[in-house]
Amino acid sequence: MDSNSPLLQQVLNGESEQDKTHEARAIILCSHDETDSALIRPPKLGPKPDLESFEEASEHNSEEEISQSEAASTFSFTFHALFNHKNFCKASKYTIISLCLNLAPITIYLFDFVTDWVNGFSYWNRREENKDNIFYFALTIFVIVLPAVVMHIFSACWEIEANEDKKKQENKTAGGCCFFFSMALMHILQIGPVYRYVRAAYYGLKSTSRKADLQPALHDHFYRKCHAELADVDFLRMVESFLEAGPQLVLQIYIMVTTLQTPFITVLSCCVSLFGMSTSPVAYERALRIAVQDKVQLSIIGTIVMFLYRVCNITSRVFLHF
């Protein structure tokens, strides 16, 4: 058959159209299969959460909430124990009155320290008015510095000795460079008694905690440490008052009588020195009686009466010479 015949060309064209139709159907079927598979295929999920880290975070948050609630409960219990009027008459309880009696000497000590130095430099500022003011300045500073050095040497030695005893009980070596550096810096800055008063107040507050209330042995331990600390610092203050406050009081009264001048800062320094000399023996006696439970304890009225007796006694002895 001739390849150019019309019949043969129709047959070939029909076969090519059938092939194109089959190819189009195959493409449509493939596209439907891909669409169906895309619809059936599950969506891609994000990374799997870390359950362990989530549990740790929740435990950490719960521990923080528990610690905050415990701290709030402890604070409220301590606050109630301090202000409980039923404990005011009990010698073995640390109350708000005891806390004030611990913190008041800090104010007295710092106020006495500042007024003495200001009074001393007031003589230096008035050196042109009177040539003797230079001598009064030197004498006033000497009376301030020497007793302070003696008191802080005793305090530092007691701190080192107490630290060594503590380390021996715990079978450890003595304190390192940080301990000695902190002790040296604290006593050079003249705040040794302040540190001891704050530490005594800390032990007293620890004795009023809920844990100490449930354990009488723990309460007695902190209460004894509080008053042992107070006995030490009150003894240091008594030594300092007789070495510094007494001579300072006599010296300033002599200067005022000699110069016939009564500057306000000098009168204030004398009053603070007199107050310090009167309170330090009373505080030491009270701390000793509390530390020794067999002794009769000093009441608040007894403390006031003893303070007034000291004021009158010292005042009469000082002004007797003038």
Side-chain angles (χ1 to χ4, degrees):
M1 183 180 295
D2 188 5
S3 58
N4 294 325
S5 63
L7 181 61
L8 181 60
Q9 288 180 356
Q10 290 179 358
V11 172
L12 292 175
N13 292 332
E15 289 178 356
S16 61
E17 290 178 359
Q18 290 180 357
D19 292 338
K20 290 180 181 179
T21 303
H22 287 298
E23 289 178 0
R25 288 180 179 177
I27 291 171
I28 292 171
L29 290 175
C30 289
S31 63
H32 281 296
D33 292 338
E34 289 179 358
T35 305
D36 294 339
S37 62
L39 294 173
I40 297 171
R41 189 183 301 117
K44 292 184 179 180
L45 300 176
K48 185 179 180 181
D50 191 357
L51 297 179
E52 294 181 357
S53 62
F54 178 75
E55 291 176 356
E56 290 178 357
S58 61
E59 290 177 359
H60 181 69
N61 293 332
S62 62
E63 288 177 358
E64 287 184 352
E65 292 176 356
I66 292 171
S67 62
Q68 290 177 0
S69 62
E70 288 179 353
S73 175
T74 303
F75 176 77
S76 62
F77 185 86
T78 302
F79 184 82
H80 176 72
L82 285 175
F83 288 90
N84 188 3
H85 65 279
K86 297 180 181 179
N87 297 331
F88 287 172
C89 298
K90 296 180 181 179
S92 60
K93 294 295 183 180
Y94 193 84
T95 62
I96 188 62
I97 298 175
S98 304
L99 181 62
C100 292
L101 291 175
N102 290 164
L103 299 180
I106 298 176
T107 307
I108 298 170
Y109 172 75
L110 295 175
F111 195 61
D112 186 19
F113 183 79
V114 172
T115 53
D116 286 344
W117 278 97
V118 173
N119 181 46
F121 278 100
S122 68
Y123 292 118
W124 178 260
N125 293 331
R126 290 184 282 114
R127 63 186 181 276
E128 296 179 357
E129 299 177 5
N130 188 356
K131 294 181 179 180
D132 293 336
N133 285 338
I134 298 176
F135 174 71
Y136 296 151
F137 163 75
L139 199 58
T140 302
I141 298 302
F142 176 77
V143 174
I144 296 172
V145 172
L146 182 60
V149 170
V150 173
M151 181 184 66
H152 284 87
I153 286 175
F154 274 106
S155 178
C157 291
W158 288 354
E159 286 287 348
I160 294 172
E161 184 179 356
N163 181 68
E164 289 178 353
D165 293 340
K166 181 180 178 181
K167 296 301 181 181
K168 286 179 182 179
Q169 293 176 359
E170 298 176 355
N171 295 323
K172 295 180 181 179
T173 58
C177 297
C178 293
F179 170 77
F180 290 107
F181 176 76
S182 60
M183 288 296 105
L185 182 63
M186 181 175 59
H187 289 90
I188 288 172
L189 295 176
Q190 305 288 301
I191 57 173
V194 176
Y195 170 72
R196 288 179 175 272
Y197 278 123
V198 171
R199 190 165 58 183
Y202 169 75
Y203 289 143
L205 292 174
K206 290 284 286 185
S207 68
T208 62
S209 63
R210 184 185 296 274
K211 187 176 181 181
D213 186 68
L214 297 175
Q215 301 178 15
L218 187 63
H219 169 269
D220 294 340
H221 170 71
F222 284 119
Y223 192 76
R224 285 195 302 268
K225 289 189 73 173
C226 169
H227 288 285
E229 195 71 39
L230 282 177
D232 290 342
V233 69
D234 287 334
F235 177 76
L236 290 173
R237 287 283 291 121
M238 188 174 63
V239 170
E240 188 264 346
S241 67
F242 284 102
L243 289 178
E244 188 269 336
Q248 193 72 259
L249 178 61
V250 175
L251 174 62
Q252 299 308 319
I253 293 176
Y254 170 78
I255 293 173
M256 286 189 293
V257 171
T258 303
T259 60
L260 299 178
Q261 295 178 355
T262 56
F264 173 76
I265 188 62
T266 306
V267 175
L268 182 62
S269 177
C270 291
C271 294
V272 176
S273 297
L274 177 62
F275 188 79
M277 285 189 66
S278 303
T279 55
S280 58
V282 178
Y284 182 61
E285 181 69 23
R286 182 179 175 84
L288 283 181
R289 287 179 177 270
I290 294 176
V292 181
Q293 296 295 329
D294 298 336
K295 290 278 188 178
V296 179
Q297 305 299 315
L298 276 177
S299 62
I300 301 298
I301 298 176
T303 303
I304 295 173
V305 171
M306 185 175 287
F307 167 73
L308 294 176
Y309 163 75
R310 291 290 180 183
V311 171
C312 296
N313 189 13
I314 294 171
T315 305
S316 62
R317 289 176 181 273
V318 169
F319 284 95
L320 180 65
H321 299 283
F322 297 99

